[in-house]
Amino acid sequence: MRRKTKSNEQKPDVRRENTALIANNVEQDRKTNTTTGRFRNVATWDADLSKRFASFMQTEFPGVTRMFENKFMEISGNEYIWFPALAVLYLMHPLVHKQLPLNLAIAMAFDSAVILLIKALVKRRRPTAKNPDFFTAIGPDQYSFPSGHASRTTLISFVFTQINPLFSNGHLNFVTSALIWSWSISVCFSRMLNGRHYLFDVLTGAVIGLCEGSVIVSPFWMSPEQAEGRVIELMVRSPLGFVRNVGKRLPL
């Protein structure tokens, strides 16, 4: 009984410390935020709402919050992991057809370009991080708006569930789709709870990912034949392909 009483006495203190830490971080971010003009009120409201959300999660659901703060969430949604993984999948042909890694790599490259362009234009400072990222942000990626993790994981989830489902079986595809979207949503939550993004950053990133998938990627998704033809075309136009063609034409 004594242990239980001691735990209950310490719990309010932990809650107050977490709330004070988050409030202090948001206040510092509000002072250093470079967003100006009519967007300043939106940025302030977003910072306050993000503070309340993080405080609520840490107070009421500390176990779930610790799960979202796991480094796996950040690393699994990073482009430094996905691009090498797609290169490996491409080299696994014919076990994995070249269509999937080639299309997804192009889609992710387009997404990265859009996110970096918006970040460079808006230049919203990141909040004070509770847990720093595993990979150091460089260039425009040091800014907060919008979240690249949110747009990337949403786009990947859209591809694997709407454009190129992993399984043809209805029940199996439903289960995998639920798991994929759960991962994407968890990554989005982790970006806020780790203090890497504000709420509006994450929501905007997710909307961008959905728009890219439905408006850009889906209509231009290459079929297996188109992907194979594009690979052959790139090989012919590459310096190595040019040397090979010249070598074939030279007389022995």
Short mmCIF file of all heavy atoms in Angstrom, two decimals, residues 196-241:
data_model
loop_
_atom_site.label_atom_id
_atom_site.label_comp_id
_atom_site.label_asym_id
_atom_site.label_seq_id
_atom_site.Cartn_x
_atom_site.Cartn_y
_atom_site.Cartn_z
N ARG A 196 9.37 17.53 -33.21
CA ARG A 196 10.02 17.83 -34.49
C ARG A 196 9.13 18.67 -35.41
O ARG A 196 9.62 19.30 -36.33
CB ARG A 196 10.41 16.53 -35.20
CG ARG A 196 11.35 15.66 -34.43
CD ARG A 196 12.61 16.40 -34.03
NE ARG A 196 13.39 16.80 -35.18
CZ ARG A 196 14.17 17.87 -35.21
NH1 ARG A 196 14.26 18.67 -34.14
NH2 ARG A 196 14.86 18.16 -36.29
N HIS A 197 7.83 18.63 -35.17
CA HIS A 197 6.88 19.38 -35.99
C HIS A 197 5.70 19.83 -35.16
O HIS A 197 5.39 19.24 -34.12
CB HIS A 197 6.37 18.52 -37.16
CG HIS A 197 7.37 18.30 -38.24
ND1 HIS A 197 7.72 19.28 -39.16
CD2 HIS A 197 8.11 17.21 -38.56
CE1 HIS A 197 8.62 18.79 -40.00
NE2 HIS A 197 8.88 17.54 -39.65
N TYR A 198 5.03 20.87 -35.66
CA TYR A 198 3.75 21.28 -35.11
C TYR A 198 2.63 20.49 -35.78
O TYR A 198 2.83 19.81 -36.79
CB TYR A 198 3.54 22.77 -35.33
CG TYR A 198 4.54 23.66 -34.65
CD1 TYR A 198 5.56 24.26 -35.38
CD2 TYR A 198 4.47 23.91 -33.27
CE1 TYR A 198 6.50 25.09 -34.76
CE2 TYR A 198 5.40 24.74 -32.65
CZ TYR A 198 6.41 25.32 -33.40
OH TYR A 198 7.33 26.13 -32.79
N LEU A 199 1.44 20.61 -35.20
CA LEU A 199 0.29 19.87 -35.71
C LEU A 199 -0.02 20.22 -37.16
O LEU A 199 -0.27 19.35 -38.00
CB LEU A 199 -0.93 20.14 -34.82
CG LEU A 199 -2.25 19.48 -35.24
CD1 LEU A 199 -2.12 17.97 -35.22
CD2 LEU A 199 -3.37 19.93 -34.31
N PHE A 200 -0.02 21.52 -37.48
CA PHE A 200 -0.35 21.96 -38.83
C PHE A 200 0.70 21.50 -39.84
O PHE A 200 0.37 21.23 -41.01
CB PHE A 200 -0.48 23.49 -38.87
CG PHE A 200 -1.14 24.01 -40.11
CD1 PHE A 200 -2.38 23.55 -40.50
CD2 PHE A 200 -0.50 24.95 -40.91
CE1 PHE A 200 -2.99 24.03 -41.65
CE2 PHE A 200 -1.10 25.44 -42.06
CZ PHE A 200 -2.35 24.98 -42.43
N ASP A 201 1.96 21.38 -39.42
CA ASP A 201 3.01 20.85 -40.30
C ASP A 201 2.67 19.43 -40.74
O ASP A 201 2.80 19.08 -41.92
CB ASP A 201 4.36 20.83 -39.58
CG ASP A 201 4.79 22.20 -39.10
OD1 ASP A 201 4.31 23.20 -39.64
OD2 ASP A 201 5.62 22.25 -38.17
N VAL A 202 2.25 18.62 -39.78
CA VAL A 202 1.98 17.21 -40.04
C VAL A 202 0.72 17.06 -40.89
O VAL A 202 0.70 16.27 -41.86
CB VAL A 202 1.85 16.44 -38.71
CG1 VAL A 202 1.41 15.00 -38.96
CG2 VAL A 202 3.18 16.45 -37.97
N LEU A 203 -0.34 17.79 -40.55
CA LEU A 203 -1.58 17.69 -41.31
C LEU A 203 -1.37 18.14 -42.76
O LEU A 203 -1.86 17.49 -43.69
CB LEU A 203 -2.67 18.55 -40.66
CG LEU A 203 -3.19 18.06 -39.30
CD1 LEU A 203 -4.22 19.04 -38.75
CD2 LEU A 203 -3.78 16.67 -39.42
N THR A 204 -0.62 19.22 -42.95
CA THR A 204 -0.35 19.70 -44.31
C THR A 204 0.48 18.70 -45.09
O THR A 204 0.23 18.44 -46.26
CB THR A 204 0.37 21.06 -44.26
OG1 THR A 204 -0.41 21.98 -43.50
CG2 THR A 204 0.58 21.60 -45.67
N GLY A 205 1.48 18.12 -44.43
CA GLY A 205 2.30 17.11 -45.09
C GLY A 205 1.48 15.91 -45.53
O GLY A 205 1.65 15.39 -46.64
N ALA A 206 0.56 15.46 -44.68
CA ALA A 206 -0.29 14.32 -45.02
C ALA A 206 -1.20 14.64 -46.21
O ALA A 206 -1.39 13.81 -47.11
CB ALA A 206 -1.13 13.90 -43.82
N VAL A 207 -1.74 15.85 -46.23
CA VAL A 207 -2.60 16.27 -47.35
C VAL A 207 -1.79 16.33 -48.65
O VAL A 207 -2.26 15.91 -49.72
CB VAL A 207 -3.25 17.64 -47.05
CG1 VAL A 207 -3.95 18.19 -48.29
CG2 VAL A 207 -4.24 17.50 -45.91
N ILE A 208 -0.57 16.84 -48.57
CA ILE A 208 0.30 16.89 -49.75
C ILE A 208 0.56 15.48 -50.27
O ILE A 208 0.51 15.23 -51.48
CB ILE A 208 1.62 17.61 -49.43
CG1 ILE A 208 1.36 19.10 -49.19
CG2 ILE A 208 2.64 17.43 -50.56
CD1 ILE A 208 2.58 19.87 -48.74
N GLY A 209 0.86 14.54 -49.37
CA GLY A 209 1.10 13.17 -49.79
C GLY A 209 -0.10 12.55 -50.47
O GLY A 209 0.04 11.85 -51.49
N LEU A 210 -1.30 12.79 -49.94
CA LEU A 210 -2.52 12.27 -50.56
C LEU A 210 -2.76 12.89 -51.93
O LEU A 210 -3.14 12.19 -52.88
CB LEU A 210 -3.72 12.53 -49.65
CG LEU A 210 -3.85 11.66 -48.41
CD1 LEU A 210 -5.02 12.13 -47.55
CD2 LEU A 210 -4.04 10.19 -48.80
N CYS A 211 -2.56 14.19 -52.04
CA CYS A 211 -2.75 14.87 -53.33
C CYS A 211 -1.75 14.38 -54.37
O CYS A 211 -2.10 14.17 -55.53
CB CYS A 211 -2.63 16.38 -53.15
SG CYS A 211 -3.98 17.12 -52.20
N GLU A 212 -0.51 14.21 -53.96
CA GLU A 212 0.50 13.71 -54.88
C GLU A 212 0.14 12.31 -55.38
O GLU A 212 0.26 12.01 -56.58
CB GLU A 212 1.86 13.67 -54.20
CG GLU A 212 2.47 15.03 -53.94
CD GLU A 212 3.72 14.95 -53.09
OE1 GLU A 212 3.91 13.93 -52.39
OE2 GLU A 212 4.52 15.91 -53.11
N GLY A 213 -0.31 11.46 -54.46
CA GLY A 213 -0.64 10.10 -54.84
C GLY A 213 -1.82 10.01 -55.78
O GLY A 213 -1.79 9.25 -56.76
N SER A 214 -2.87 10.79 -55.52
CA SER A 214 -4.09 10.69 -56.31
C SER A 214 -4.05 11.50 -57.59
O SER A 214 -4.60 11.09 -58.61
CB SER A 214 -5.29 11.13 -55.47
OG SER A 214 -5.11 12.46 -54.99
N VAL A 215 -3.38 12.66 -57.56
CA VAL A 215 -3.41 13.57 -58.72
C VAL A 215 -2.19 13.39 -59.63
O VAL A 215 -2.31 13.49 -60.86
CB VAL A 215 -3.49 15.04 -58.24
CG1 VAL A 215 -3.48 15.99 -59.43
CG2 VAL A 215 -4.75 15.25 -57.40
N ILE A 216 -1.03 13.11 -59.07
CA ILE A 216 0.20 13.05 -59.86
C ILE A 216 0.67 11.61 -60.10
O ILE A 216 0.85 11.17 -61.24
CB ILE A 216 1.33 13.84 -59.18
CG1 ILE A 216 0.89 15.29 -58.91
CG2 ILE A 216 2.60 13.80 -60.02
CD1 ILE A 216 0.59 16.08 -60.17
N VAL A 217 0.85 10.86 -59.03
CA VAL A 217 1.47 9.54 -59.13
C VAL A 217 0.55 8.53 -59.80
O VAL A 217 0.96 7.80 -60.71
CB VAL A 217 1.91 9.04 -57.74
CG1 VAL A 217 2.51 7.64 -57.85
CG2 VAL A 217 2.90 10.01 -57.13
N SER A 218 -0.70 8.48 -59.37
CA SER A 218 -1.63 7.48 -59.90
C SER A 218 -1.84 7.58 -61.42
O SER A 218 -1.74 6.57 -62.12
CB SER A 218 -2.97 7.58 -59.17
OG SER A 218 -3.85 6.56 -59.61
N PRO A 219 -2.11 8.78 -61.97
CA PRO A 219 -2.30 8.86 -63.43
C PRO A 219 -1.05 8.53 -64.24
O PRO A 219 -1.15 8.07 -65.37
CB PRO A 219 -2.74 10.32 -63.65
CG PRO A 219 -3.22 10.79 -62.33
CD PRO A 219 -2.39 10.07 -61.32
N PHE A 220 0.13 8.79 -63.67
CA PHE A 220 1.38 8.58 -64.41
C PHE A 220 2.13 7.32 -63.97
O PHE A 220 3.30 7.16 -64.31
CB PHE A 220 2.29 9.81 -64.24
CG PHE A 220 1.74 11.06 -64.87
CD1 PHE A 220 1.05 11.99 -64.10
CD2 PHE A 220 1.88 11.30 -66.23
CE1 PHE A 220 0.53 13.14 -64.68
CE2 PHE A 220 1.38 12.45 -66.81
CZ PHE A 220 0.68 13.37 -66.04
N TRP A 221 1.46 6.45 -63.25
CA TRP A 221 2.08 5.20 -62.79
C TRP A 221 2.40 4.33 -64.00
O TRP A 221 1.52 4.00 -64.79
CB TRP A 221 1.16 4.47 -61.84
CG TRP A 221 1.76 3.28 -61.17
CD1 TRP A 221 1.67 1.99 -61.57
CD2 TRP A 221 2.57 3.27 -59.98
NE1 TRP A 221 2.35 1.16 -60.71
CE2 TRP A 221 2.91 1.93 -59.72
CE3 TRP A 221 3.02 4.26 -59.12
CZ2 TRP A 221 3.69 1.55 -58.62
CZ3 TRP A 221 3.79 3.89 -58.03
CH2 TRP A 221 4.12 2.55 -57.79
N MET A 222 3.64 3.94 -64.15
CA MET A 222 4.07 3.17 -65.32
C MET A 222 3.73 1.69 -65.16
O MET A 222 3.89 1.12 -64.09
CB MET A 222 5.59 3.33 -65.53
CG MET A 222 6.01 4.71 -65.96
SD MET A 222 7.80 4.81 -66.25
CE MET A 222 8.42 4.68 -64.56
N SER A 223 3.26 1.10 -66.25
CA SER A 223 3.01 -0.34 -66.28
C SER A 223 4.34 -1.08 -66.32
O SER A 223 5.39 -0.46 -66.54
CB SER A 223 2.17 -0.69 -67.51
OG SER A 223 2.91 -0.44 -68.69
N PRO A 224 4.33 -2.40 -66.10
CA PRO A 224 5.60 -3.15 -66.18
C PRO A 224 6.31 -2.97 -67.51
O PRO A 224 7.54 -2.84 -67.55
CB PRO A 224 5.15 -4.60 -65.98
CG PRO A 224 3.92 -4.50 -65.16
CD PRO A 224 3.22 -3.25 -65.62
N GLU A 225 5.55 -2.94 -68.61
CA GLU A 225 6.17 -2.75 -69.93
C GLU A 225 6.77 -1.36 -70.06
O GLU A 225 7.87 -1.18 -70.60
CB GLU A 225 5.13 -2.98 -71.03
CG GLU A 225 4.62 -4.41 -71.12
CD GLU A 225 3.61 -4.73 -70.03
OE1 GLU A 225 3.09 -3.77 -69.39
OE2 GLU A 225 3.34 -5.92 -69.80
N GLN A 226 6.04 -0.34 -69.60
CA GLN A 226 6.56 1.03 -69.67
C GLN A 226 7.79 1.21 -68.79
O GLN A 226 8.75 1.88 -69.19
CB GLN A 226 5.47 2.02 -69.24
CG GLN A 226 4.31 2.14 -70.21
CD GLN A 226 3.20 3.01 -69.66
OE1 GLN A 226 2.94 3.03 -68.46
NE2 GLN A 226 2.53 3.74 -70.54
N ALA A 227 7.76 0.61 -67.61
CA ALA A 227 8.92 0.72 -66.72
C ALA A 227 10.14 0.05 -67.33
O ALA A 227 11.26 0.58 -67.27
CB ALA A 227 8.58 0.09 -65.37
N GLU A 228 9.94 -1.13 -67.95
CA GLU A 228 11.06 -1.83 -68.58
C GLU A 228 11.61 -1.03 -69.75
O GLU A 228 12.83 -0.92 -69.94
CB GLU A 228 10.59 -3.21 -69.06
CG GLU A 228 11.72 -4.11 -69.51
CD GLU A 228 12.58 -4.58 -68.35
OE1 GLU A 228 12.06 -4.70 -67.23
OE2 GLU A 228 13.79 -4.80 -68.57
N GLY A 229 10.71 -0.43 -70.53
CA GLY A 229 11.15 0.39 -71.65
C GLY A 229 11.91 1.62 -71.20
O GLY A 229 12.89 2.01 -71.83
N ARG A 230 11.46 2.23 -70.09
CA ARG A 230 12.15 3.41 -69.58
C ARG A 230 13.55 3.05 -69.08
O ARG A 230 14.51 3.81 -69.28
CB ARG A 230 11.33 4.05 -68.46
CG ARG A 230 11.91 5.33 -67.91
CD ARG A 230 12.09 6.38 -69.01
NE ARG A 230 10.85 6.64 -69.70
CZ ARG A 230 9.96 7.55 -69.33
NH1 ARG A 230 10.19 8.27 -68.25
NH2 ARG A 230 8.88 7.76 -70.04
N VAL A 231 13.68 1.89 -68.44
CA VAL A 231 14.99 1.44 -67.98
C VAL A 231 15.94 1.23 -69.15
O VAL A 231 17.10 1.64 -69.13
CB VAL A 231 14.86 0.15 -67.14
CG1 VAL A 231 16.24 -0.44 -66.83
CG2 VAL A 231 14.11 0.43 -65.86
N ILE A 232 15.45 0.57 -70.20
CA ILE A 232 16.28 0.33 -71.38
C ILE A 232 16.68 1.65 -72.02
O ILE A 232 17.83 1.84 -72.44
CB ILE A 232 15.52 -0.56 -72.39
CG1 ILE A 232 15.28 -1.94 -71.78
CG2 ILE A 232 16.29 -0.66 -73.70
CD1 ILE A 232 14.43 -2.84 -72.65
N GLU A 233 15.74 2.60 -72.08
CA GLU A 233 16.03 3.91 -72.67
C GLU A 233 17.11 4.64 -71.88
O GLU A 233 18.03 5.24 -72.46
CB GLU A 233 14.75 4.74 -72.70
CG GLU A 233 14.94 6.12 -73.32
CD GLU A 233 13.66 6.92 -73.30
OE1 GLU A 233 12.60 6.37 -72.89
OE2 GLU A 233 13.70 8.11 -73.67
N LEU A 234 17.03 4.58 -70.56
CA LEU A 234 18.04 5.23 -69.72
C LEU A 234 19.41 4.57 -69.87
O LEU A 234 20.43 5.26 -69.87
CB LEU A 234 17.59 5.19 -68.26
CG LEU A 234 16.38 6.05 -67.90
CD1 LEU A 234 15.97 5.81 -66.45
CD2 LEU A 234 16.67 7.53 -68.14
N MET A 235 19.41 3.25 -70.02
CA MET A 235 20.67 2.54 -70.18
C MET A 235 21.34 2.91 -71.50
O MET A 235 22.56 3.08 -71.59
CB MET A 235 20.44 1.04 -70.11
CG MET A 235 20.07 0.54 -68.70
SD MET A 235 19.75 -1.23 -68.68
CE MET A 235 21.36 -1.87 -69.17
N VAL A 236 20.53 3.05 -72.54
CA VAL A 236 21.08 3.40 -73.86
C VAL A 236 21.63 4.83 -73.85
O VAL A 236 22.68 5.11 -74.43
CB VAL A 236 20.00 3.25 -74.95
CG1 VAL A 236 20.48 3.81 -76.27
CG2 VAL A 236 19.63 1.78 -75.10
N ARG A 237 20.93 5.72 -73.17
CA ARG A 237 21.35 7.12 -73.15
C ARG A 237 22.48 7.39 -72.15
O ARG A 237 23.08 8.46 -72.18
CB ARG A 237 20.16 8.01 -72.79
CG ARG A 237 19.09 8.05 -73.89
CD ARG A 237 18.01 9.04 -73.53
NE ARG A 237 17.02 9.16 -74.58
CZ ARG A 237 15.97 9.99 -74.54
NH1 ARG A 237 15.82 10.79 -73.50
NH2 ARG A 237 15.11 10.02 -75.55
N SER A 238 22.74 6.46 -71.27
CA SER A 238 23.80 6.65 -70.28
C SER A 238 25.17 6.58 -70.95
O SER A 238 25.31 6.04 -72.05
CB SER A 238 23.71 5.58 -69.19
OG SER A 238 24.00 4.31 -69.74
N PRO A 239 26.22 7.15 -70.34
CA PRO A 239 27.57 7.08 -70.92
C PRO A 239 28.02 5.65 -71.17
O PRO A 239 28.67 5.36 -72.18
CB PRO A 239 28.45 7.77 -69.87
CG PRO A 239 27.52 8.69 -69.16
CD PRO A 239 26.20 7.98 -69.14
N LEU A 240 27.67 4.73 -70.27
CA LEU A 240 28.05 3.35 -70.44
C LEU A 240 27.37 2.74 -71.67
O LEU A 240 27.99 2.02 -72.45
CB LEU A 240 27.68 2.52 -69.20
CG LEU A 240 28.06 1.04 -69.22
CD1 LEU A 240 29.57 0.88 -69.40
CD2 LEU A 240 27.60 0.35 -67.94
N GLY A 241 26.09 3.08 -71.87
CA GLY A 241 25.39 2.59 -73.04
C GLY A 241 25.95 3.16 -74.32
O GLY A 241 26.05 2.48 -75.35
#
